């Protein structure tokens, strides 16, 4: 954690943003945070990004959700996307940029002034395109042990009625050879959703392994792209939400801000 804190202090954008939240003084009159969450598929980007969005009052934009929404719409891209997703391949830059551009335009029309991107950019080309479109303040790179990551991916479930995301995996990894132990409890649904859980068609072990291979090949250069610009915060998840959330807030200098928000509420 000390290493993370040192990195945060070196990052030119984050301390200014954090002070804005804590003091309630706007950084820019018409602009809120513009952050990106990186990490392997299934690491928990959506979980932590959505929590921060609720805390900071900005929209959570997940490209995975944009893709699934298009798949469900039976629109012109639906059949093409279905084939790509079921094979565990990355959706093309052109398709992602079209979906994201439409979402940002819709948000701007509604008066949104910031965002946290989840699942984009995944490639160097996407990162370069994004840099030309908007200013990204901070990139949070979530990491987790590979054994836990695979279990999390295979444990994902969706309620086919309410659309809620859950996880049935119960993870317990012993610490050895310098590797820390890790315990992650399942994220179970309420009783009325239990009988309605389904597994995503692309959450098979073969497809998950292929997604991880592609991510390693295509996305790691993106980390270096933002690292070289002083915008990358690397955060190793120590466990489940109860263990990781407070430490993530500390790394972001937002721990006191959450307490103040709770008191205000």
């Amino acid at each position: 954690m000390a290493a993370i804190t040192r990195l945060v202090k070196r990052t030119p954008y984050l301390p200014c943003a954090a002070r804005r939240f804590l003091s309630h003084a706007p950084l820019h009159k018409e602009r809120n945070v513009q952050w990106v969450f990186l990490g392997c598929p299934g690491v928990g980007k959506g979980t932590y990004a959505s929590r921060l969005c609720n805390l900071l009052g900005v929209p959570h934009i997940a490209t995975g959700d944009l893709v699934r929404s298009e798949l469900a719409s039976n629109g012109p891209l639906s059949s093409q996307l279905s084939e790509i997703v079921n094979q565990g391949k990355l959706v093309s830059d052109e398709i992602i940029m079209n979906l994201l551009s439409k979402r940002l335009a819709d948000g701007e029309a509604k008066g949104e002034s910031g965002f946290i991107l989840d699942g984009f950019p995944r490639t160097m080309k996407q990162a370069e395109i994004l840099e030309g479109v908007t200013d990204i303040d901070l990139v949070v790179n979530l990491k987790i042990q590979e054994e836990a990551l695979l279990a999390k991916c295979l444990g994902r479930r969706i309620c086919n009625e309410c659309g809620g995301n859950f996880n049935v995996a119960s993870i317990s990894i012993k610490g050895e050879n310098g590797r820390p132990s890790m315990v992650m409890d399942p994220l179970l649904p309420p009783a009325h959703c239990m009988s309605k859980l389904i597994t995503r068609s692309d959450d098979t072990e073969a497809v998950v392994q292929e997604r991880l291979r592609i991510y390693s090949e295509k996305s790691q250069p993106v980390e270096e792209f933002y690292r070289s610009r002083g915008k990358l915060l690397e955060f190793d998840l120590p466990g489940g939400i109860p263990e990781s959330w407070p430490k993530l807030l500390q790394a972001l200098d937002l721990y006191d801000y959450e307490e103040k928000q709770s008191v205000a509420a």
Side-chain angles (χ1 to χ4, degrees), residues 91-94 96-97 119-131 226:
V91 179
S92 72
D93 294 341
E94 181 181 4
I96 290 294
M97 283 306 303
F120 186 92
R122 289 185 176 182
T123 66
M124 278 297 301
K125 183 178 178 181
Q126 290 176 354
E128 291 167 350
I129 293 173
L130 183 62
E131 188 171 68
Y226 287 114

Side-chain angles (χ1 to χ4, degrees), residues 214-243:
I214 292 174
Y215 180 86
S216 178
E217 178 182 311
K218 300 290 187 181
S219 297
Q220 286 187 0
V222 178
E223 299 173 13
E224 183 55 38
F225 177 83
Y226 287 114
R227 183 181 293 110
S228 67
R229 286 157 174 74
K231 297 183 179 183
L232 188 71
L233 169 63
E234 300 195 80
F235 183 80
D236 290 294
L237 293 165
I241 295 174
E243 298 84 14

Side-chain angles (χ1 to χ4, degrees), residues 87-249:
Q87 292 177 359
K89 297 181 179 178
L90 289 178
V91 179
S92 72
D93 294 341
E94 181 181 4
I95 292 175
I96 290 294
M97 283 306 303
N98 285 340
L99 295 175
L100 181 59
S101 296
K102 182 178 184 301
R103 172 62 183 84
L104 292 176
D106 291 345
E108 185 176 357
K110 295 176 183 177
E112 294 174 356
S113 61
F115 53 79
I116 295 181
L117 289 181
D118 165 12
F120 186 92
R122 289 185 176 182
T123 66
M124 278 297 301
K125 183 178 178 181
Q126 290 176 354
E128 291 167 350
I129 293 173
L130 183 62
E131 188 171 68
V133 171
T134 189
D135 293 325
I136 297 300
D137 303 322
L138 176 72
V139 178
V140 181
N141 186 27
L142 297 181
K143 296 184 174 183
I144 195 172
Q145 295 181 37
E146 185 174 350
E147 181 181 346
L149 179 62
L150 183 59
K152 273 171 54 62
C153 288
L154 297 178
R156 292 194 295 191
R157 299 291 185 273
I158 301 172
C159 176
N160 65 3
E161 185 173 284
C162 72
N165 290 283
F166 308 99
N167 201 298
V168 299
S170 181
I171 300 170
S172 179
I173 301 174
K174 293 182 179 181
E176 57 184 7
N177 299 324
R179 183 184 69 174
S181 61
M182 174 178 287
V183 175
M184 300 183 73
D185 294 327
L187 182 61
L188 298 177
H192 63 272
C193 291
M194 187 66 73
S195 63
K196 305 176 182 68
L197 295 184
I198 59 174
T199 302
R200 277 173 34 176
S201 61
D202 58 327
D203 274 348
T204 65
E205 185 167 356
V207 172
V208 168
Q209 292 281 17
E210 178 66 4
R211 284 205 306 262
L212 296 179
R213 185 194 67 79
I214 292 174
Y215 180 86
S216 178
E217 178 182 311
K218 300 290 187 181
S219 297
Q220 286 187 0
V222 178
E223 299 173 13
E224 183 55 38
F225 177 83
Y226 287 114
R227 183 181 293 110
S228 67
R229 286 157 174 74
K231 297 183 179 183
L232 188 71
L233 169 63
E234 300 195 80
F235 183 80
D236 290 294
L237 293 165
I241 295 174
E243 298 84 14
S244 298
W245 176 243
K247 292 183 179 180
L248 179 60
L249 290 179

